Amino acid sequence: MTAEDDEHSTPPDESRPPDDGDGVLDRLSEAAETTGPDADSRVPPTEVADPDTETPQSDDEDADDGVSLELFYDALEAEGRPVVTAQQVARRLGVTQAEAVEDLDELADAGRLQKVDVQTDPVVWYPTEWGQLASRERVVLFPKRREIVVDNPTQYTRARLSQFAHLVDTTGDREGRGRGYLYRIRQEDVWQAPFDDVSDLLAMLRSVLPERSPHLEEWVEDQWKRAHRFRLYTHEEGYTVLESATESLMGNVAMQKLDENHVYAPISDTETWVRDESVAAVKRILYDAGYPVEDDRDLEEGEHLDVSLGVELRDYQQDWVDRFLEQRAGVLVGPPGSGKTIAGIGALAAVGGETLVLVPSRELARQWRAELLANTDLSPDQIGEYHGGVKEIRPVTIATYQTAGMDRHRSLFDSRRWGLIIYDEAHHIPSRVFQRSADLQSKHRLGLSATPIREDDKEAEIFTLVGPPIGTDWGKLFEAGHVQEPEVEIRYVGWADDMARNEWASSDGRERHMLAAMNPAKVFEARRLRARHPDAKTLIFVDYLDQGEQIAEALDVPFVSGETRHHHREAYFRSFRDGNLDTLVISRIGDEGIDLPNAELAIVASGLGGSRRQGSQRAGRTMRPAGSALVYVLATRGTSEEDFAQRQMQHLAGKGIRVRETSHDDYPRDDTSATEQTE
């Protein structure tokens, strides 16, 4: 963010002892005392090294050995007390009491510590600046619950946690002080972790935790084994076989869950003959039983299609394609702007078979056609579209999910020997109307999705019906500069006037949410942010037409909605892309399925009742290889929008992206322009 942001950030209250905070760490630590966590949870907090420096950060850089201020903080946290004696410090740090006293005296002389004589002990010590202790990163593990709590995590720590843990909740005040993150390691997190071997996963786990936890590591290894206990393979005579690692697993798990609708007959104590039409059901049933199935079948390659790429894949895109060819099924899960469509086209060329591309809308179908023509040597008559507007079946056919799922269009699947099915925006797969397309289990299957999350918690179906995730490490792409990590700020805004606030207070239900979303102060805030970043290409997202028109009028820019004629919409996007237009206000039609040029600045004025996926998609409009990427999410303070904003940004936070929060309430009571009121 710019330097002006700091004017509205309240400095930490350095006089407040850390135990007075309301972070997740403090609450769960109290819970741990009542539930009695095992010995592995009693770990001394640690400071994770800053990845941009060669050594861990320290508040006492001059101390080469002995008791530094940093080590004193560690001793305080390990003791769980606000003050300690020299004897306690010595015990915690493994030094003699005389050495501890000498070093603590030096820190006290330098003003870094305070000491006081008390009756029960000659001297006790405590920090001069409590705020430094309260703002340090602290990592605490609760192995039995498989939960990790981090107060004030560094970006480095959050990026690593995103590789094997699920972000459950965050707490803290609006300026981000005392920020606590609660992570949980679930079965599916281990099953889908982007590692080739369990040792790599354990190494990542150990790099974050303060010390080894045999209890947790044993559970992780067990879950990893579970993900490799069943597999499907093609028998030499051409039929599909389900194989288990042991006779017990086949008899006590598979045969207890599956019936004659799924399998024909046993072949051996560890193998059974599977009905081809029931492969998807078998994988889903065993997944629900806690055993993901490895799919090693010989998948169809379809009729040969000679395709050459006209673009060179980036290293990570080529890695995605290589991993897909090895697995023959999977979902590319990369951040917006990382080039998943180009990687999908690379997979199409590598498979070399006739391909069916499934998309959620006609507009995406047209975009896929344009991308194929621009980046391959396919001719126009080799690419067909199949949806309500046109029905062409060609060597590469692009169809909508809805059309493909209808019984009367079943010939779409049966008329060609598809070698590859590409599911764009793969999070649509679990919806009932889209299930039909998942029956194509005999094909190479590639899903594309930046946000494979669903509010109905059915994202597991994406990975069982299509394939395991590929390319989930967003942090590596950010670090390598392939995709610009956005700076995200939730701005809690007050009411512009008493009339608007009173109208909201006297309403309820849907109207109450709408009034909070359309808080007139957001119009002023949009003008202020636009004035702060005058040279940035800006997209302003709204969910309500009236609000969109108000903001567009205030900024004197176009508003694009579902009511905008298609040719006008395309003209605005083209002008925005070419640089002739620097700001667009856009409704939720811009969330997905539209070839909207990437922006440098995104302002989310409303839409906070939407999904986590919507929040990520809107933020994703700023992600690209170079330049700044700023996202401001406006939420009316004291309303349900606060919770909605945090929920929408949770997916980004889980990927290691820092989400900060600020509060603003300085709105004029007249129509003073934003340029006169800029911060």
Side-chain angles (χ1 to χ4, degrees), residues 186 221 324 495:
R186 308 167 300 177
E221 289 187 274
F324 169 72
W495 291 96

Side-chain angles (χ1 to χ4, degrees), residues 577-597:
R577 185 183 299 108
D578 296 341
N580 298 321
L581 181 65
D582 61 9
T583 304
L584 274 178
V585 181
I586 190 165
S587 72
R588 63 170 56 193
I589 65 166
D591 292 349
E592 181 179 277
I594 286 185
D595 185 18
L596 193 61

Side-chain angles (χ1 to χ4, degrees), residues 44 85 169 173 229 300 448 499 522 585:
T85 66
D169 193 18
D173 64 26
R229 306 299 276 175
E300 297 178 13
L448 309 177
M499 182 180 297
K522 293 184 179 181
V585 181

